[in-house]
Amino acid sequence: STLKVSPSHSAVTGDSAHEAGTATVRLPDGRTLSEKYVVVYKRVGGNWKIAYDIWNSDMPSQAMDKK
C-alpha cells in the first residue's frame, strides 16, 4: 500500500494547531481510495501531540447506495 497526504490548510494558535487536507491510498490490489482528514494538535511540555485525528472516505456509503 502507498499513502499520499496533501495538506490544504494548517494553522497554529497558541498551544493548539490543526491541519486539514486530502489523502490518496493505493491498495495492493490496485484500488485507489480518496479521503479527507483533519488533525488537531496540542502542545504538551514543549512537544506537539496529536489530540484528534479524523478522516472519512469520498466514496458513497453503503447505506446510501441501498436507499
Side-chain angles (χ1 to χ4, degrees):
S1 297
T2 59
L3 170 65
K4 179 183 177 188
V5 177
S6 302
S8 60
H9 178 77
S10 62
V12 177
T13 305
D15 288 336
S16 297
H18 68 270
E19 175 184 322
T22 60
T24 303
V25 180
R26 181 170 299 275
L27 301 174
D29 65 7
R31 291 182 296 149
T32 300
L33 306 176
S34 297
E35 301 171 343
K36 298 175 288 294
Y37 72 91
V38 174
V39 182
V40 177
Y41 302 91
K42 297 284 184 181
R43 191 177 351 229
V44 178
N47 296 309
W48 288 102
K49 305 289 184 175
I50 295 174
Y52 301 97
D53 184 3
I54 188 168
W55 60 269
N56 63 345
S57 174
D58 287 340
M59 299 291 293
S61 71
Q62 298 266 344
M64 294 297 285
D65 291 343
K66 292 180 181 179
K67 288 185 177 182

